[in-house]
Amino acid sequence: MGVCSSSPESPEAKAAREQSAAIEKQMEEAQKMEEEKIKILLLGAGESGKSTIFKQFQILYGAPRSNKDLKMFAAAVRNNITVLLKRLIPLVGSLKLEEKFEPNERAAYNKILETISGQKSSPAEQAVADAAIPVNLKEEIQTLFQSKTWESVWAQRSTVNAIDRHQLFIDEIEAIAAPDYVPTVQHILRARIRTTNAVHEEYDIGGRRFEIYDVGGQRSERKKWMPLFDKVTAIIFVAALSEYDQKLQEDLRMNRMVEAIGLFKSVVNHD
């Protein structure tokens, strides 16, 4: 009677088997990490502070900002100053304050008004022009914001949705207008850059993997939220209490706090 025996495994077959086992183990570990990952969505209406929290995560747990990022935020800070001016300057006319300025204040006001009234042919050119305004008109901006008459304008800032936290940019315009300006942490946190598509970052926090998503909060952006609810662990809903007397940028009839409460109910009920 014959004796059956298997032939020895060739080196090539052994190497292939070990490689296959290693790949399978890596896939299992990756699947386990994916299942254990904590996915967090930052939701809320536009300009409610979602991106500020997103940036705080980056500052606390992420890598240092690249030079490219710092240049982007430098331009954003300068643009924010110009947006602030464009929202506030029209109040001077509606409140009939032109004649109450001192001569040097009126000259500063007129120069700023003339400059911000100009429009470029493309959004990119407009962004470059807007970023240059705080640099070129630094002294005029300082003169205007130090005016007693301007206090009446600032008191009405909520009526034009001026962002309170951008007052810091005016206070520190000397540094911001400098050629070698590098944004501080506070400048980065306060800078307003509209979020139009979902962005996310991953961080290791306390030995756990976190995936944080920031989204656009304007009404036109909310339809993009739905795919993000898949496998979500938690939602941080953000509302700005300081906006109790402001209107939506996209609907000037709607109070921002009322909008936030309605949106929160919608999110809770997953409508």
Side-chain angles (χ1 to χ4, degrees):
M1 185 172 61
V3 177
C4 295
S5 63
S6 58
S7 59
E9 185 178 35
S10 68
E12 293 80 5
K14 182 180 179 181
R17 177 174 56 80
E18 290 176 347
Q19 183 180 22
S20 177
I23 292 172
E24 188 173 328
K25 184 179 179 181
Q26 288 178 350
M27 291 177 65
E28 289 175 354
E29 290 176 349
Q31 179 65 25
K32 184 180 179 182
M33 287 182 61
E34 186 67 24
E35 291 173 353
E36 293 179 348
K37 184 166 57 181
I38 297 172
K39 180 180 179 181
I40 297 177
L41 304 185
L42 300 173
L43 301 183
E47 297 187 357
S48 60
K50 300 182 299 301
S51 295
T52 301
I53 294 176
F54 187 76
K55 287 183 283 187
Q56 286 173 325
F57 272 106
Q58 197 282 332
I59 290 168
L60 290 171
Y61 304 109
R65 294 282 182 184
S66 66
N67 288 333
K68 181 179 179 181
D69 278 351
L70 291 174
K71 288 180 180 179
M72 176 191 69
F73 279 109
V77 168
R78 289 168 173 169
N79 270 282
N80 288 168
I81 293 175
T82 300
V83 170
L84 186 66
L85 291 170
K86 288 182 176 182
R87 292 185 180 183
L88 292 173
I89 285 290
L91 288 174
V92 174
S94 61
L95 295 172
K96 297 180 171 44
L97 297 174
E98 294 99 330
E99 301 304 322
K100 295 186 178 182
F101 283 127
E102 296 294 330
N104 65 318
E105 297 167 352
R106 181 65 183 268
Y109 163 74
N110 287 339
K111 190 169 183 179
I112 293 171
L113 177 62
E114 179 184 2
T115 304
I116 66 173
S117 298
Q119 292 294 321
K120 299 298 180 181
S121 58
S122 72
E125 289 179 340
Q126 189 64 55
V128 171
D130 286 348
I133 287 175
V135 177
N136 298 331
L137 300 183
K138 177 191 67 176
E139 294 179 359
E140 286 79 4
I141 293 170
Q142 289 174 315
T143 297
L144 202 59
F145 274 80
Q146 291 167 4
S147 164
K148 291 292 293 183
T149 301
W150 188 256
E151 292 178 3
S152 299
V153 174
W154 187 250
Q156 296 296 317
R157 63 191 180 278
S158 65
T159 63
V160 292
N161 291 342
I163 299 177
D164 285 353
R165 64 180 182 270
H166 289 170
Q167 175 66 47
L168 177 70
F169 299 161
I170 303 299
D171 296 340
E172 299 183 3
I173 196 170
E174 283 283 354
I176 292 169
D180 58 351
Y181 166 57
V182 177
T184 66
V185 169
Q186 282 301 315
H187 292 173
I188 290 172
L189 285 175
R190 293 169 187 247
R192 164 68 178 159
I193 300 176
R194 180 179 174 180
T195 306
T196 55
N197 290 301
V199 293
H200 79 280
E201 295 284 352
E202 293 190 16
Y203 306 107
D204 285 315
I205 305 174
R208 300 293 299 272
R209 194 67 176 168
F210 283 75
E211 191 172 64
I212 316 294
Y213 282 80
D214 183 24
V215 298
Q218 285 77 17
R219 289 177 175 177
S220 61
E221 298 295 323
R222 295 173 196 170
K223 60 182 180 293
K224 302 176 184 177
W225 295 4
M226 194 57 64
L228 301 177
F229 283 93
D230 184 43
K231 296 181 180 180
V232 67
T233 308
I235 292 171
I236 299 177
F237 189 89
V238 185
L241 295 178
S242 61
E243 295 179 347
Y244 71 94
D245 59 350
Q246 295 186 17
K247 305 296 184 182
L248 284 187
Q249 199 64 30
E250 64 266 39
D251 182 359
L252 297 179
R253 299 167 300 175
M254 175 60 73
N255 176 274
R256 291 193 178 194
M257 190 57 65
V258 173
E259 176 81 359
I261 293 171
L263 181 57
F264 176 76
K265 291 178 179 178
S266 177
V267 170
V268 168
N269 295 319
H270 210 323
D271 292 342

